[in-house]
Amino acid sequence: MTALRTTFATALFCVLTACASAPAPRQAPIVSPTPAVTLPPIKVGLALGGGAAKGFAHIGVIKMLEANGIKPVVVSGTSAGSVVGALYASGMDAYQLQQKAVALDEASIRDVSLFSGGVVKGKKLQDYVNAQVGERTFEKLKKPLAVVATRLEDGQRTVFVRGNVGQAVRASSSIPGVFEAVSIGKYHFVDGGVVSPVPVDAARDLGADFVIAVDISSKPIGSADTSSMLGNMNRSIAIMGQKLGAAELARADIVVRPNVNDIGAADFAQKNRAILEGERAAQNLLPTIKAKLATLQAQRLASAQQAAAAKAAAQHEAERQARCAKQQGWLDKLRRDEDC
C-alpha cells in the first residue's frame, strides 16, 4: 500500500511540476485573441482667435465642420473668438450663429463712455452675450467653454471657466485703449490676444484630444490702415502676441486661416464675406482634418489594444500562478501523508 501511495505521489509530482516548466517542443503555441476594445469618440476642441469684425469667419468654419460630421465638444476663445465661442457653447448650431450674426447691429454691443476718454465701456457687449446664452453661467452651458483674458496688473494669462459668461467675454474683448479694462474681483482684465491670440492650450486644458485652431489675426506685415483707432490697436495686439501666438499655434493639430486680412477690425458690413471665407478655409482643410482624425483614432485603438492585451496576459499569469500554488498545496499534503 505504501508503494502504491509513493508511486501515485511521484506521478502527481511530475504532473504538477509542469506549472514551472516550459511547454513540450511539439506543443503548438497558444495565440490569445486580441481583446475587444471600445473607445470613446475623439474629443475635438475648437480654439477661436481674436480679430474684431474678422471673428465672423469663425461661424463659417463651424458651419463647414458641422456639415461634414465634425462636431467640436469643447470651445475656447479669445476676444472676438470668445463671443462666437460663448454662443456656440450655449447650444447654438452654425446656422443659428449665422442668423445671430446677420441680425447683429453694431450699436447693440458698443457703448461709448464720455467720462473715460471716449473708450467703449463694454457693458452692452456683456449684456448681449448673457442674453444670448440665456443668462447661464459657464457651468450650465451645453459645451465646456474657456475664455482667455489678460490680467492688467501683471500681464498674466487668465482663463475663465466659471461664473458670468458675458463678463468674461467682455474682459477678453477689451482692447486696450479702445475698451475700458474690466474689473473682476481685485484685478482688472483686458484683451486676451495680448497673451494668447489663439487659445489652443485652453482647449487642451478642457480635455480636447484634437484641437482645430482658427487664426483670424492680422499679420503685422506690409502696409496698415492707420485711419482707424480700433484697427491700430488690434494690429498692435497682433504684433505683441505674434511670437506667443506662433508657439501656441504649433501645439494645435490643425490651423485654419480664413482669408480675412483685408477686412477692417470694425468693418461689420463685411460679416457675410467673413463667414464665407471661414467656410472656404475649412473646406480646403477637410481632407487633412479627416485624415489626421483617422490616424489619431487608429493610434488610440492600437494603444488601447496593447494595454488590454498586457492586462489580459497579466491576469492569465496571475491565474496560472494561483492554480499552481493550489496544486502545490495538494502535493505538499500528499508528501505529508507519505511521511506518515
Side-chain angles (χ1 to χ4, degrees):
M1 185 66 178
T2 302
L4 180 61
R5 289 169 59 189
T6 302
T7 303
F8 177 72
T10 303
L12 185 59
F13 174 78
C14 292
V15 172
L16 294 178
T17 51
C19 289
S21 64
R26 289 185 232 171
Q27 183 178 0
I30 299 175
V31 180
S32 300
T34 302
V37 175
T38 301
L39 290 179
I42 293 173
K43 293 181 70 173
V44 177
L46 200 57
L48 306 177
K54 302 177 189 351
F56 291 106
H58 292 316
I59 298 173
V61 173
I62 294 170
K63 277 182 66 178
M64 189 56 59
L65 292 176
E66 286 195 342
N68 286 272
I70 302 169
K71 296 187 177 181
V73 295
V74 300
V75 191
S76 63
T78 290
S79 196
S82 72
V83 179
V84 176
L87 271 59
Y88 188 47
S90 74
M92 295 183 192
D93 61 24
Y95 290 96
Q96 290 173 311
L97 289 175
Q98 185 167 1
Q99 288 177 337
K100 295 293 182 183
V102 170
L104 179 63
D105 177 8
E106 186 180 357
S108 65
I109 60 172
R110 182 169 297 179
D111 47 354
V112 177
S113 172
L114 298 177
F115 300 100
S116 56
V119 299
V120 179
K121 294 175 65 176
K123 184 64 166 57
K124 275 192 175 183
L125 174 62
Q126 176 176 327
D127 293 342
Y128 171 81
V129 171
N130 278 333
Q132 297 305 314
V133 303
E135 305 297 334
R136 284 173 288 176
T137 60
F138 279 87
E139 295 90 335
K140 294 183 179 180
L141 295 176
K142 296 291 181 65
K143 292 180 173 69
L145 171 70
V147 171
V148 179
T150 304
R151 198 161 68 190
L152 193 58
E153 280 75 9
D154 54 11
Q156 286 295 310
R157 166 182 171 269
T158 301
V159 181
F160 293 98
V161 294
R162 294 185 296 274
N164 189 315
V165 176
Q167 188 179 48
V169 169
R170 176 186 176 187
S172 181
S173 305
S174 294
I175 301 173
V178 179
F179 282 73
E180 290 181 356
V182 179
S183 176
I184 301 176
K186 61 180 181 178
Y187 296 106
H188 296 82
F189 297 90
V190 294
D191 196 297
V194 175
V195 291
S196 182
V198 186
V200 174
D201 295 339
R204 293 276 187 213
D205 291 341
L206 287 178
D209 302 312
F210 188 92
V211 177
I212 300 173
V214 186
D215 181 15
I216 56 169
S217 62
S218 297
K219 302 299 179 287
I221 56 175
S223 60
D225 178 10
T226 58
S227 62
S228 164
M229 180 177 71
L230 179 58
N232 286 339
M233 294 307 302
N234 197 55
R235 185 178 176 86
S236 298
I237 289 173
I239 292 171
M240 286 187 289
Q242 186 181 26
K243 289 185 178 180
L244 283 175
E248 191 165 4
L249 279 172
R251 293 190 284 275
D253 296 282
I254 289 286
V255 180
V256 183
R257 291 188 171 92
N259 184 21
V260 291
N261 281 347
D262 60 336
I263 295 179
D267 196 353
F268 279 65
Q270 294 205 61
K271 63 179 74 171
N272 288 329
R273 189 200 145 201
I275 293 173
L276 181 60
E277 292 296 346
E279 291 180 29
R280 286 173 175 166
Q283 184 176 36
N284 290 338
L285 285 172
L286 276 175
T288 303
I289 294 172
K290 290 180 178 180
K292 286 195 171 187
L293 282 171
T295 298
L296 176 59
Q297 186 70 345
Q299 291 172 344
R300 294 171 75 223
L301 181 59
S303 178
Q305 287 177 334
Q306 185 177 13
K311 181 179 179 181
Q315 184 177 355
H316 176 75
E317 176 61 18
E319 291 172 353
R320 187 192 70 81
Q321 291 184 5
R323 187 169 59 251
C324 288
K326 185 176 181 180
Q327 292 170 344
Q328 185 64 44
W330 294 341
L331 180 59
D332 291 342
K333 184 176 183 303
L334 283 174
R335 283 175 171 169
R336 287 195 298 272
D337 291 344
E338 177 65 21
D339 291 340
C340 292

